[in-house]
Amino acid sequence: MHENRKHERSSVEFSCTLTVGEESRKCEIQDLSASGAKVRVKGALEIGTVVTLELDRFGSFSADVVRVEKSLVGLKFQRSPEDMMEVVMAISGLV
């Protein structure tokens, strides 16, 4: 499948927490870009759900669930790609 992406994705394995309402779940980022992330998480989520991705040293970021494939969830950050670029570069440099 050909994907037309505006922002380059980096393959990473980075532990984080995904919060939906009052429920927090441990998860792992599989890939990351300035516009979104692919996250491995247990438990069902629906497209359109608003979540918070908590990245220990980097802060918390609101995102929309835009894709669900078994335990993998595609997220689109609500902040602009320009705002997220510094975080993405810092995380990519750690792994």
Side-chain angles (χ1 to χ4, degrees):
M1 175 168 73
H2 176 71
E3 296 188 40
N4 187 13
R5 298 199 180 272
K6 291 182 180 180
H7 301 97
E8 182 177 334
R9 289 195 173 264
S10 299
S11 293
V12 298
E13 290 184 13
F14 191 84
S15 296
C16 56
T17 303
L18 191 73
T19 302
V20 183
E22 299 294 318
E23 179 186 359
S24 293
R25 306 173 190 182
K26 293 293 181 194
C27 60
E28 184 175 88
I29 297 175
Q30 299 291 298
D31 72 38
L32 183 65
S33 78
S35 59
K38 180 168 52 175
V39 178
R40 182 174 304 281
V41 62
K42 291 183 181 180
L45 288 172
E46 293 184 21
I47 292 174
T49 302
V50 176
V51 300
T52 301
L53 189 62
E54 299 173 32
L55 308 172
D56 292 332
R57 297 179 285 194
F58 302 101
S60 298
F61 306 94
S62 295
D64 300 306
V65 175
V66 294
R67 178 176 293 160
V68 177
E69 297 174 9
K70 298 183 182 179
S71 64
L72 293 175
V73 177
L75 303 177
K76 182 177 186 303
F77 296 125
Q78 292 183 347
R79 290 174 63 178
S80 74
E82 294 78 18
D83 288 346
M84 294 302 299
M85 186 56 74
E86 186 175 332
V87 174
V88 170
M89 289 174 51
I91 291 172
S92 296
L94 290 177
V95 293

